């Protein structure tokens, strides 16, 4: 038996073809698309008749993630959602408020296979990829629950986006659609731990999103110890892919660097990082813009890592700036609700295990 299609995963052309196959006019696809992307459920979409819905239900499904738990920061209004999917699996999304608007950080997988030692998302490994519908559903469900217009997306939640490549590409196109969420590509940031072949594939699509590279070390020995993916794609290969990406797209890349006390937060580590980026990405004829986003590590019980102190963070940023590398320190949002992704899902899993 053919698997039912998720309506929210279909573009307008695919919706039209599906309706036509059921003996319905293709023009209804436009009505259906805009209403579904506005967060309306079938019973709320009155311009599609009951008989049409009965036909659609024979070949398709529609649902939005259910809010299983919601935490609101008393410090800055950051909202953390634990969303339950149709099969009972859970992912996290975080809604953050800035002066320029509201941004959501979404998950791309249930769990993660990358094994980064400082990250709660990867504990327990990857369960499965999220579908296009589930990627979109986080944005729609959060907007519907909050009543806010979401104008930006960060793909930095649970999972590695480029490990779910095809679904993520389709999601980006759908969430950008003028009749859907209409979120501009330039307001979307995608973070990767460094899957080199997928970075090259992404460059071919030439989408004007911001690509963020989780680097976290300036040498292979240190990076191997905290990011297993480095054994497959060492730093030299990763930075070569970054350079190709820039040459193809002309888009500035951002490098994320998680500061771990006593591990990678010394002034010497900052100097080595600056030298590495300057030598690998800049030449006499091409001055590639480089930005490093410094992130004091979120302390996860299982990792044993501790946050770099404020003085160490400031000193690290200063060394980068002195060596021609623009550096900013990420403002920590939702500190009172552990807003970094993976921790709420992990805590909920522990509760479920204790019940069994």
């Amino acid at each position: 038996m053919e698997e039912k299609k998720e309506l929210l995963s279909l573009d307008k052309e695919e919706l039209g073809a599906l309706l036509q196959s059921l003996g319905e006019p293709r023009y209804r696809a436009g009505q259906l698309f805009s209403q579904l992307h506005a967060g309306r459920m079938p019973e709320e979409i009155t311009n599609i008749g009951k008989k049409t819905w009965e036909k659609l239900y024979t070949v398709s499904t529609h649902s939005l993630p259910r809010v299983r738990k919601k935490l609101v920061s008393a410090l800055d209004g950051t909202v953390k959602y634990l969303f339950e999917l149709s099969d009972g699996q859970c992912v996290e999304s975080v809604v953050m408020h800035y002066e320029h608007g509201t941004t959501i950080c979404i998950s791309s997988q249930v769990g993660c296979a990358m094994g980064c030692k400082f990250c709660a998302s990867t504990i327990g490994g990857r369960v499965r990829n999220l579908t296009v519908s589930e990627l979109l559903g986080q944005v729609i469900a959060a907007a519907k629950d909050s009543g806010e217009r979401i104008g930006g997306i960060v793909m930095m939640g649970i999972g590695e986006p480029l490990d779910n490549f095809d679904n993520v590409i389709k999601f980006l196109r759908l969430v950008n659609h003028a009749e859907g969420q209409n979120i501009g590509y330039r307001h979307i940031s995608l973070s990767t731990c460094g899957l080199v072949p997928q970075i090259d594939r992404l460059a071919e699509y030439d989408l004007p999103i911001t690509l963020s590279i989780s680097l976290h070390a300036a040498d292979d020995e240190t990076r191997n110890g905290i990011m297993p993916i480095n054994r497959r794609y060492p730093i030299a290969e990763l930075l070569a892919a970054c350079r190709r990406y820039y040459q193809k797209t002309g888009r500035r890349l951002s490098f994320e660097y998680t500061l771990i006390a006593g591990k990678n937060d010394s002034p010497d580590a900052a100097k080595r990082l600056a030298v590495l980026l300057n030598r690998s990405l800049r030449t006499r004829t091409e001055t590639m813009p480089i930005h490093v986003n410094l992130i004091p590590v979120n302390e996860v019980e299982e990792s044993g890592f501790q946050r770099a102190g404020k003085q160490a963070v400031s000193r690290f940023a200063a060394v980068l700036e002195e060596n021609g590398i623009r550096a900013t320190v990420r403002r920590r949002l939702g500190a009172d609700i552990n807003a970094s992704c993976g921790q709420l899902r992990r805590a909920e899993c522990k509760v479920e295990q204790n019940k069994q």
Side-chain angles (χ1 to χ4, degrees):
M1 184 177 177
E2 188 176 350
E3 188 176 352
K4 290 187 175 183
K5 301 177 187 295
E6 294 179 334
L7 290 178
L8 205 55
S9 292
L10 304 179
D11 60 29
K12 283 181 66 175
E13 285 298 313
E14 292 167 332
L15 273 175
L18 180 63
L19 286 162
Q20 189 173 43
S21 73
L22 298 171
E24 296 288 330
R26 290 182 73 102
Y27 73 81
R28 290 182 184 242
Q31 301 171 331
L32 191 57
F33 184 89
S34 60
Q35 299 265 27
L36 290 173
H37 284 253
R40 295 186 179 91
M41 301 306 288
E43 60 272 18
E44 300 173 294
I45 303 176
T46 56
N47 58 354
I48 302 292
K50 183 179 178 182
K51 289 186 177 179
T52 303
W53 277 114
E54 288 174 352
K55 291 180 184 179
L56 281 168
Y57 279 140
T58 64
V59 295
S60 65
T61 63
H62 177 64
S63 64
L64 289 175
R66 181 179 73 85
V67 178
R68 180 155 161 177
K69 188 167 283 190
K70 176 182 176 180
L71 304 176
V72 182
S73 171
L75 300 176
D76 50 43
T78 297
V79 182
K80 185 169 187 176
Y81 290 100
L82 183 69
F83 282 126
E84 184 174 322
L85 308 174
S86 58
D87 63 353
Q89 294 291 342
C90 292
V91 293
E92 296 174 27
S93 304
V94 180
V95 174
M96 301 162 287
H97 304 96
Y98 300 97
E99 288 184 11
H100 59 268
T102 300
T103 292
I104 186 170
C105 178
I106 68 167
S107 297
S108 56
Q109 297 175 309
V110 179
C112 183
M114 298 299 108
C116 299
K117 303 301 183 186
F118 52 83
C119 183
S121 298
T122 197
I123 298 169
R126 182 185 61 194
V127 178
R128 65 173 177 84
N129 286 334
L130 295 189
T131 65
V132 178
S133 175
E134 290 166 339
L135 293 165
L136 274 168
Q138 295 171 75
V139 182
I140 294 170
K144 194 173 182 180
D145 179 78
S146 66
E148 296 184 61
R149 153 74 178 161
I150 291 176
I153 296 172
V154 180
M155 300 199 75
M156 202 181 292
I158 295 171
E160 162 57 56
L162 295 187
D163 193 33
N164 186 14
F165 191 91
D166 292 334
N167 286 343
V168 165
I169 291 295
K170 190 171 186 182
F171 158 74
L172 291 173
R173 287 178 164 165
L174 287 177
V175 83
N176 172 254
H177 198 287
E179 296 173 46
Q181 296 303 300
N182 195 25
I183 297 175
Y185 286 129
R186 285 178 171 79
H187 299 289
I188 299 175
S189 179
L190 184 153
S191 176
T192 177
C193 68
L195 303 184
V196 167
Q198 286 88 331
I199 291 172
D200 287 330
R201 280 185 69 193
L202 183 63
E204 293 300 317
Y205 286 86
D206 199 15
L207 299 173
I209 63 172
T210 297
L211 180 62
S212 296
I213 306 296
S214 295
L215 191 56
H216 310 313
D219 62 89
D220 285 326
E221 183 180 358
T222 303
R223 199 165 189 263
N224 285 345
I226 56 177
M227 300 184 72
I229 192 66
N230 196 70
R231 295 188 180 93
R232 196 190 317 173
Y233 305 116
I235 290 175
E237 287 186 36
L238 173 57
L239 294 182
C242 291
R243 193 166 169 193
R244 291 192 298 272
Y245 184 90
Y246 175 73
Q247 290 169 341
K248 175 72 176 179
T249 67
R251 297 286 297 168
R252 184 200 75 177
L253 288 88
S254 179
F255 292 90
E256 294 154 0
Y257 193 100
T258 294
L259 288 159
I260 305 169
K263 191 83 173 174
N264 65 353
D265 65 335
S266 68
D268 180 63
K271 182 64 183 292
R272 286 188 285 112
L273 177 62
V275 170
L276 171 73
L277 294 176
N278 280 321
R279 285 181 178 173
S280 302
L281 301 176
R282 288 171 170 169
T283 66
R284 291 180 181 177
T285 57
E286 184 178 69
T287 304
M288 178 176 167
I290 302 171
H291 172 240
V292 174
N293 193 9
L294 298 173
I295 311 165
V297 72
N298 290 298
E299 295 181 359
V300 177
E301 180 184 344
E302 289 85 350
S303 76
F305 292 149
Q306 294 183 328
R307 294 169 66 85
K310 288 184 178 180
Q311 187 176 352
V313 173
S314 297
R315 189 169 61 241
F316 199 100
V319 172
L320 290 179
E321 293 280 357
E322 288 164 8
N323 287 274
I325 302 293
R326 181 169 173 256
T328 55
V329 180
R330 180 183 294 172
R331 184 163 63 99
R332 191 182 184 198
L333 296 175
D336 56 330
I337 58 171
N338 284 330
S340 59
C341 269
Q343 298 188 71
L344 182 55
R345 175 176 174 267
R346 182 67 178 157
E348 194 72 6
C349 287
K350 285 182 177 179
V351 170
E352 291 298 318
Q353 289 168 1
N354 291 335
K355 287 180 180 178
Q356 295 174 1

